[in-house]
Amino acid sequence: MSDATSNVPAAPAPTDADLADADLVGTDEPDERLSPLHEVHVAAGASFTDFAGWQMPVRYSSDLAEHHAVRSAAGLFDLSHMAEIAVSGPEAGAFLDQALAGTLSTIAVGRAKYSLLLSTEGGIVDDLVVYRLDDHDYLVVANASNRDAAFAALAGRAHGFDVTVDDESDDTALVAIQGPESEGVLDELVAADRLHPDEPVSSLRYYRVLQGTFDDSPVLLARTGYTGEDGFEIYVDPEVAPALWSALVDAGGPRGLVPAGLASRDTLRLEAGMPLYGHELGLDVRPAQAGLGRVVDLSKDFVGRAGVEPVPGSRVLVGLALEGRRAARAGYAVVTDDGTVVGEVTSGALSPTLGHPVAMAYVDPDVADRGPALAVDVRGTAVPASVVPLPFYKRS
């Protein structure tokens, strides 16, 4: 099931208590923004956390149960806090080529591409998914915490191009269904005459997008996700989102689908080695440091091109497998056997799938392939750690 490499002995499966102090934390502020699905989550018994100014469900029952449901069946996530920015016009492709680190003008209609929005100095403003919906129409999906920064950067860079840049976040709800049963659940909605994609769901390949309708309301159906599993992300009108959520719950229940919160989403993406903005990515990080050099097209000019290369000796992102059951958390020091600090953890958890702690960390390049001769300072205890390839988990 997993191709993760580790010389750490197998550990008992973690419990919810083991995950209770995970990196994903928040505060319950009464004046934060609410998802169009908020009342649905309340009725389902969700616990909430602040995330980028939104009250979002952190769990419904058990972090572990929700995590395992995604790996074995399906999980349903509310991602309506994400930012959707429409880019359209005769020069939309050329504009995005200049505004982003990747080349978007050459992707075919109906395809998606992961890309980076860089500062003029080459740091990462945000990581994005870009969908090409038509010859001159693109949808840029940014992280919730970077909605304003991403929109401002794109709008500012549009000067001189025949293009419009519109923030459509408030007019868009986003629901993700992730896990091996996802396609089957959507097929149930097709059979029930509620979901009408332009092509069969089974024809939609990874990083592709279809247009269609749900209950006569337009939807975008993308085969993308952030969990390491097969799955789909569905963009829909906020007023229709509750009906879509309910239909997916009803269709997916017999297949093992459960609503899932941000806590399980965080452990899923960590196991899959997927970076999180504010942890692995930020303005002080260059793409190559984060293992994202492949995303950058150095054959073209773009904003940030001059500063995209990291300074020699800059720390690089690695995966760590730890012994025992004590998880490394963001900010914990990575040390050598003599106690010298050579890095810092950016994300960590006791992996529900693998049964031992895993972490991502930035370390000095001369120890990035050091193997087992490292440790993480976990609250004063040096816990042995081995550098292992990312991702920790890959679906079979």
Side-chain angles (χ1 to χ4, degrees), residues 99-121:
L100 304 180
T103 298
L104 287 307
S105 61
T106 58
I107 65 172
V109 173
R111 295 199 176 190
K113 189 171 186 176
Y114 179 79
S115 195
L116 298 172
L117 176 67
L118 303 181
S119 69
T120 55
E121 295 79 20

Side-chain angles (χ1 to χ4, degrees), residues 30 32 51 53 92 115 127 134 144 180 199 213 218 288 295 303 311 316 320 328 345 355:
E32 290 173 322
F51 192 86
S115 195
D127 64 329
D134 209 335
E199 299 176 21
T213 61
V295 178
V303 176
V311 175
V316 295
L320 297 175
V345 171

Side-chain angles (χ1 to χ4, degrees), residues 222-354:
R223 200 159 202 157
T224 49
Y226 192 55
T227 62
E229 296 296 338
D230 185 24
F232 302 83
E233 295 178 318
I234 308 171
Y235 298 83
V236 66
D237 187 291
E239 294 184 357
V240 180
L244 173 62
W245 182 277
S246 178
L248 289 167
V249 169
D250 290 345
R255 294 175 175 267
L257 176 145
V258 301
L262 292 180
S264 62
R265 182 170 158 87
D266 195 50
T267 52
L268 290 160
R269 70 91 192 168
L270 173 59
E271 290 182 346
M274 295 178 170
L276 176 64
Y277 197 90
H279 287 249
E280 288 72 44
L281 306 179
L283 286 171
D284 58 344
V285 176
R286 300 299 183 265
Q289 290 179 261
L292 296 175
R294 68 189 184 282
V295 178
V296 179
D297 184 354
L298 295 176
S299 70
K300 70 180 181 80
D301 186 32
F302 56 89
V303 176
R305 173 68 176 82
V308 74
E309 298 293 345
V311 175
S314 297
R315 287 178 172 175
V316 295
L317 187 67
V318 299
L320 297 175
L322 284 70
E323 294 183 5
R325 295 176 62 81
R326 300 186 67 183
R329 301 301 181 195
Y332 286 11
V334 180
V335 299
T336 59
D337 52 8
D338 65 1
T340 302
V341 176
V342 292
E344 183 175 304
V345 171
T346 54
S347 297
L350 182 54
S351 165
T353 303
L354 305 178

Side-chain angles (χ1 to χ4, degrees), residues 34 55 69 135 164 199 277 313 326 380 389:
L34 302 180
Q55 281 288 292
D135 287 342
T164 60
E199 299 176 21
Y277 197 90
R326 300 186 67 183

